[in-house]
């Protein structure tokens, strides 16, 4: 009986339970159901769940448009019933939520809500919500990814990142990027940085040194070189930089990186609308970052004040930036397509796209075909010139560059050329002519620009630079006077006019022009030469404000320090005013000079007695007063054979030391200074050399030299070594003349490659 009872209740003889009978299963089901009901009542009664929030979230699964989620909605989602269209119009947002794929995508965004709801809905609905929607979500993700991939592919063709050089050019020339909509039919992709960045490029072959003949610290053509370098002169780069080394010695071709040009701003479109005025400004300055050498502790200026926030410095730069921004907004966009070119715009776009993608050879062929097919098209011919220009840079070919110059000139001769395209063509032509050393040809081109656009002062400013490059200061001065009469606040004209006045030794008159020009912040004014000459002019007037401008020049990267103000520098070289023979590593040279000082002295004295005319007066405008002359044996690494005939033993002695005779940034010379002479504070042109002074005839008292903050005196038969890129000053207040022998040597940290390839100064 017991066994039967136990069996009825599902047990077994050994005490183990067996499977539940049908009645037991029903009993447990009812218990669980009742528990579920009471649990639901408790949840509702005690408001354990915010049903309004839950129902609001479930509303996104409303498929039949009745405002809630129910079994009918589940059937629709499972495909068991067709979707009904609600009577009321739906918003775009609600329309999107009706789509199954979008439903699933939204579901992923509300995953947390789904987790809460899983415990509240029936198992069938639970499965419905986690099968089809999940699959749809993957489809949506793939679809979206495909769309982005397509967009990225399109952008990849048309929006390539500009190179650093291109960005620097756009910043330097202050040309805002013009992003136009594709439906503008007046876009032209000409205005790449190569187009308007007319003054931003490197010469393909190093031409002669094109300098403003300012008669200030001028590099003379004969071997008798002045004491110091060329701060008063501009080479074609307008702004000296830290030197970039070439890879070869035998060729003058600079090792230029191949530029990757910008992509057009819009797909298959030529950007015609661009801010041309700023590009066609007077800014002749080339842009490269000037990273100054970090000054050593001994280089710090005497002045302890912090001049960085001085009111003197540059007015308020905020004002300048605001003015530039306002001016930029008012600038007119250039029009580069005439009526005919607009009809072939698609073909022009296709060719230009090749050029922008760096496919220079293909672009040139495309534009050549367009020129052959449409010989009267100015835009096609300009594109051909640009492609030749790009190819010349890629090939480093002056021959190809000359072809580009000729083609730029052809553009202007065509009929119906938009005026903006004329400006760009002639501007670029003049710039390329300057890089090839054709200064007078460039001057003719600039004169043509001024004649065609007489009211544009920027072209007059460029013309003034053209005159300075050929040494015609008189005409340059007239040009800048004309500019200032038309535009009294033109900062570029002011700094150049002040520069010319200082070269004429009109020191006091030059100061306000240099100062106001620098304060203007106009393009082309932030140049190391102007800081240098303003400070120099103030020093000569006894104004300590000079060091404020030197400090600003240092802060803006033009000088290595307040004291070291050379402008043609190699980055990273050890910088200190005074050196010992051991520090230079040239101990053998120093020993030889000191051992043979009497021989060197006697040959020099013989020249003074018999051929005094070989000693030429210093002509760099470095003297406040007195008599100072020099007799040069080597200059820029070239031996003066005629001079050495007068001092053969001295020259033979030096032949053993290539660090001196091969120094193409220095000289070897005798220097005689008579009583009553004072040499203004000045600096040499480069940090690539050190200067040795061998005392030959030294008065007992009255002669001294200051380099940076330390004074020293000469001794007969002894060598002083200093870095003349630091400010130095000389006094000769003795009763007799002072005779020394000057030997410039390469900075010891320059590599053999650098010594072979650095351009001469």
């Amino acid at each position: 009986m017991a066994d039967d009872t136990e069996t009825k209740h599902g047990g077994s003889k050994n005490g183990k339970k067996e499977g539940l009978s049908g009645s037991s299963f029903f009993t447990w089901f009812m218990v669980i159901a009742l528990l579920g009901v009471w649990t639901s009542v408790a949840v509702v009664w005690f408001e354990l769940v915010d049903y309004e929030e839950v129902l609001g979230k479930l509303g996104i699964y409303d498929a039949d448009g009745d405002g809630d989620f129910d079994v009918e909605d589940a059937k629709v989602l499972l495909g068991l019933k067709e979707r009904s269209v609600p009577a009321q119009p739906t918003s775009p947002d609600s329309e999107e939520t009706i789509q199954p794929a979008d439903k699933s995508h939204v579901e992923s965004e509300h995953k947390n809500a789904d987790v809460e709801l899983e415990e509240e809905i029936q198992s069938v609905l639970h499965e419905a919500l986690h099968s089809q929607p999940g699959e749809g979500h993957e489809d949506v993700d793939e679809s979206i990814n495909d769309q982005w991939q397509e967009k990225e592919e399109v952008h990849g063709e048309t929006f390539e990142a500009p190179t650093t050089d291109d960005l620097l050019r756009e910043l330097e020339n202050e040309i805002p990027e013009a992003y136009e909509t594709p439906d503008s039919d007046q876009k032209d992709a000409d205005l790449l940085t190569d187009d308007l960045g007319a003054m931003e490029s490197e010469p393909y072959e190093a031409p002669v040194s094109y300098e403003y003949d300012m008669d200030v610290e001028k590099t003379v053509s004969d071997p008798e070189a002045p004491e110091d370098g060329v701060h008063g002169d501009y080479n074609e780069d307008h702004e000296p930089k830290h030197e970039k080394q070439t890879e070869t010695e035998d060729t003058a071709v600079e090792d230029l990186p191949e530029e990757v040009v910008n992509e057009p701003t819009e797909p298959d479109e030529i950007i015609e609308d661009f801010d041309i005025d700023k590009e066609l400004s007077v800014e002749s300055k080339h842009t490269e970052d000037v990273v100054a050498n970090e000054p050593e502790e001994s280089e710090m200026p005497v002045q302890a004040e912090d001049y960085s926030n001085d009111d003197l410095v540059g007015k308020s730069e905020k004002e300048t930036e605001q003015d530039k921004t306002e001016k930029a907004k008012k600038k007119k966009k250039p029009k580069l397509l005439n009526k005919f070119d607009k009809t072939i715009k698609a073909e022009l776009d296709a060719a230009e796209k090749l050029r922008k993608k760096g496919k220079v050879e293909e672009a040139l062929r495309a534009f050549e075909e367009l020129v052959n097919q449409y010989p009267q098209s100015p835009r096609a011919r300009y594109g051909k010139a640009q492609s030749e220009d790009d190819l010349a840079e890629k090939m480093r070919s002056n021959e190809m560059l000359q072809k580009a110059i000729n083609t730029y000139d052809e553009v202007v001769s065509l009929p119906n050329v938009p005026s903006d395209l004329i400006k760009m063509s002639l501007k670029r032509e003049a710039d390329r002519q300057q890089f090839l050393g054709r200064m007078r040809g460039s001057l003719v081109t600039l004169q043509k620009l001024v004649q065609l656009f007489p009211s544009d002062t920027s072209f007059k400013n460029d013309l003034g630079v053209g005159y300075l490059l050929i040494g015609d200061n008189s005409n340059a001065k007239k040009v800048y006077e004309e500019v200032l009469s038309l535009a009294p606040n033109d900062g570029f004209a002011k700094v150049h006019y002040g520069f010319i006045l200082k070269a004429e030794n009109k020191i006091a008159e030059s100061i306000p022009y240099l100062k106001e020009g620098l304060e203007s912040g106009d393009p082309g004014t932030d140049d190391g030469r102007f800081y240098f000459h303003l400070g120099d002019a103030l020093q000569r007037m006894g104004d300590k404000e000079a060091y404020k401008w030197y400090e600003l020049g240092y802060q803006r990267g033009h000088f290595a320090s307040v004291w070291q103000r050379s402008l043609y520098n190699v980055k990273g070289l050890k910088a200190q005013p005074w050196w010992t023979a051991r520090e230079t590593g040239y101990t053998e040279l120093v020993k030889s000079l000191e051992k043979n000082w009497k021989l060197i002295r006697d040959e020099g004295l013989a020249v003074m007695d018999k051929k005094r005319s070989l000693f030429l007066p210093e002509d760099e405008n470095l003297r406040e007063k007195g008599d100072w002359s020099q007799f040069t044996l080597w200059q820029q690494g070239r031996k003066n054979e005629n001079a050495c005939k007068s001092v053969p033993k001295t020259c033979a002695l030096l032949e053993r030391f290539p660090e001196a005779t091969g120094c193409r940034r220095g000289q070897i010379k005798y220097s005689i200074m008579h009583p009553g002479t004072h040499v203004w504070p000045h600096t040499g042109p480069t940090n690539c050399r050190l200067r040795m002074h061998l005392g030959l005839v030294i008065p007992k008292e009255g002669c001294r030299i200051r380099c940076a903050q330390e004074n020293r005196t000469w001794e007969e038969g002894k060598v002083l070594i200093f870095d003349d890129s630091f400010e130095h000053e000389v006094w000769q207040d003795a009763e007799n003349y002072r005779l020394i022998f000057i030997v410039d040597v390469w900075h010891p940290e320059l590599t053999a490659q650098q010594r072979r390839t650095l351009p001469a100064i």
Side-chain angles (χ1 to χ4, degrees), residues 443-725:
L443 190 64
V444 172
T445 304
L446 291 169
Q447 289 171 336
K448 187 187 298 185
L449 264 173
V450 171
Q451 291 170 0
L452 290 172
F453 306 99
S455 62
D456 194 327
T457 56
S458 70
F459 296 138
K460 288 184 170 64
N461 278 327
D462 286 343
L463 180 61
V465 172
Y467 280 122
L468 290 173
L469 288 172
I470 65 170
D472 190 349
N473 289 16
S474 177
N475 274 321
K477 185 177 182 181
K478 292 177 182 177
V479 168
Y480 289 123
E481 286 174 342
E482 181 180 355
V483 172
L484 290 173
S485 67
L486 297 173
N489 295 321
D490 190 307
F492 188 92
K494 282 186 175 182
V495 290
H496 283 80
Y497 190 66
F499 194 95
I500 295 171
L501 290 175
K502 185 172 181 293
E504 296 174 347
N505 212 30
K506 298 177 179 178
I507 305 299
E509 294 179 42
S510 71
I511 290 174
Y513 288 99
L514 288 167
K515 184 183 294 186
E516 291 171 13
L518 284 172
E519 288 175 341
S520 73
D522 288 350
T525 60
D526 188 24
D527 185 299
R529 250 160 301 279
F530 302 132
Y531 290 94
F532 178 92
H533 282 289
L534 174 56
D536 184 64
L538 290 167
Q539 276 186 306
R540 297 190 183 198
M541 297 301 296
D543 192 336
K544 293 183 180 180
E545 187 181 328
Y547 286 94
K548 294 182 179 181
W549 289 98
Y550 290 149
E551 173 70 23
L552 181 59
Y554 160 60
Q555 292 175 1
R556 294 191 173 173
H558 301 302
F559 307 139
S561 76
V562 173
W563 295 110
Q564 189 180 23
R565 301 190 298 274
S566 55
L567 296 174
Y568 296 85
N569 301 322
V570 168
K571 181 182 177 182
L573 298 181
K574 182 178 180 180
Q576 61 187 43
W578 294 99
W579 290 66
T580 65
R582 180 174 296 179
E583 286 174 325
T584 67
Y586 301 135
T587 54
E588 292 301 317
L589 172 58
V590 173
K591 288 178 181 177
S592 181
L593 291 173
E594 292 183 345
K595 180 179 178 181
N596 297 282
W597 76 274
K598 289 184 179 180
L599 179 152
I600 298 170
R601 178 197 64 186
D602 293 344
E603 285 195 329
L605 291 174
V607 172
M608 288 176 58
D609 292 339
K610 300 176 182 178
K611 302 179 182 179
R612 178 173 287 272
S613 61
L614 293 178
F615 277 83
L616 299 180
E618 177 274 326
D619 63 352
E620 303 171 70
N621 194 26
L622 296 177
R623 287 170 293 158
E624 177 189 12
K625 57 182 181 178
D627 185 352
W628 176 23
S629 299
Q630 299 163 72
F631 170 44
T632 302
L633 309 180
W634 269 269
Q635 179 177 329
Q636 296 182 335
R638 297 192 300 267
K639 182 180 179 180
N640 183 344
E641 298 290 349
N642 290 331
C644 280
K645 290 178 181 178
S646 300
V647 288
K649 294 180 181 179
T650 299
C651 289
L653 179 70
L654 290 165
E655 294 280 10
R656 298 165 40 210
F657 302 101
E659 63 267 30
T661 59
C663 181
R664 290 179 296 105
R665 295 200 161 191
Q667 303 94 37
I668 300 175
K669 57 193 175 185
Y670 289 91
S671 174
I672 184 170
M673 189 175 290
H674 293 277
T677 300
H678 174 233
V679 178
W680 292 111
H682 62 286
T683 64
T686 178
N687 73 338
C688 294
R689 74 186 186 199
L690 300 179
R691 176 154 286 187
M692 297 183 179
H693 281 189
L694 173 65
L696 301 178
V697 178
I698 307 299
K700 292 182 178 180
E701 295 180 353
C703 295
R704 71 185 189 279
I705 179 174
R706 174 184 66 83
C707 185
Q709 298 170 267
E710 183 179 350
N711 290 343
R712 294 195 182 181
T713 59
W714 297 271
E715 296 181 42
E716 292 181 356
K718 298 296 181 181
V719 171
L720 285 178
I721 308 173
F722 65 100
D723 185 339
D724 77 325
S725 64

Side-chain angles (χ1 to χ4, degrees), residues 105-360:
H105 186 62
V106 175
E107 177 191 12
S108 66
E109 297 176 356
H110 298 279
K111 187 175 181 180
N112 293 335
D114 294 345
V115 173
E116 296 175 3
L117 296 174
E118 288 175 5
E119 298 178 357
E120 308 300 327
I121 62 177
Q122 299 175 14
S123 61
V124 175
L125 296 180
H126 176 80
E127 292 175 359
L129 291 174
H130 285 79
S131 57
Q132 183 73 13
E135 296 170 3
H137 182 68
E138 291 177 0
D139 295 338
V140 173
D141 285 345
E142 291 176 2
S143 175
I144 292 176
N145 289 336
D146 290 342
Q147 293 174 7
W148 277 108
Q149 186 174 1
E150 290 175 4
K151 290 180 181 179
E152 288 171 357
E153 289 173 357
V154 172
H155 284 267
E157 292 180 357
T158 60
F159 289 90
E160 288 186 10
T163 63
T164 303
D165 287 343
D166 291 331
L167 291 173
L168 285 172
R169 276 178 241 173
E170 291 172 5
L171 290 173
E172 182 67 20
N173 292 293
E174 300 177 40
I175 307 174
E177 189 90 19
Y179 296 96
E180 301 294 337
T181 55
D183 48 349
S184 171
D185 64 347
Q186 298 180 349
K187 297 181 179 177
D188 195 343
D190 295 346
L191 297 184
L192 191 59
T193 32
D194 279 342
D195 315 342
L196 287 181
M199 306 308 293
E200 168 55 36
S201 181
E202 296 278 349
Y204 308 110
E205 293 183 4
V208 293
S209 177
Y210 317 128
E211 299 164 348
Y212 286 10
D213 185 6
M214 304 301 294
D215 295 325
V216 181
E217 303 172 33
K218 180 176 62 179
T219 301
V220 293
S221 58
D222 55 50
E224 284 70 26
E227 173 81 8
D228 282 290
V230 291
H231 276 307
D233 304 328
Y234 276 37
N235 68 8
E236 59 172 304
D237 290 331
H238 198 75
E239 168 71 21
K241 304 113 179 162
H242 291 290
E243 306 294 343
K244 288 189 172 181
Q245 304 311 317
T246 56
E247 294 299 326
T248 60
E249 175 184 3
D250 297 333
T251 64
V253 180
E254 294 202 24
D255 188 10
L256 300 175
E258 295 183 9
E259 286 191 72
V260 180
V261 292
N262 288 352
E263 285 295 312
T265 307
E266 296 291 347
D268 301 326
E269 289 291 329
I270 290 181
I271 308 169
E272 181 178 350
D273 293 335
F274 204 89
D275 193 349
I276 187 176
D277 296 304
K278 290 194 176 183
E279 170 51 34
L280 296 177
S281 70
V282 296
E283 187 166 5
S284 305
K285 178 176 176 178
H286 302 298
T287 316
E288 279 185 15
D289 285 344
V290 181
V291 183
N293 296 339
E294 287 298 324
E296 307 215 354
E297 292 184 5
S298 60
E299 296 175 41
M300 296 306 293
V302 175
Q303 289 77 5
E305 298 88 354
D306 179 8
Y307 303 122
S308 59
N309 296 320
D310 199 286
D311 292 337
L312 149 87
V313 175
K315 291 183 179 178
S316 169
E317 292 190 12
K318 293 181 179 179
E319 291 180 12
T320 304
E321 292 176 0
Q322 291 175 356
D323 292 342
K324 290 178 181 177
T325 303
E326 291 176 2
K327 291 179 181 178
K329 293 179 180 178
K330 297 178 181 179
K331 294 295 182 182
K332 294 171 60 179
K333 302 294 183 181
K335 306 300 179 184
L336 305 180
L337 300 179
N338 62 17
K339 291 183 179 179
F340 173 76
D341 280 339
K342 290 179 181 179
T343 67
I344 60 169
K345 188 172 183 295
E347 297 171 78
L348 292 169
D349 288 346
E352 182 65 16
K353 184 176 180 180
L354 291 172
R355 193 181 74 84
K356 294 295 180 68
K357 294 181 71 174
K359 299 178 180 179
V360 183

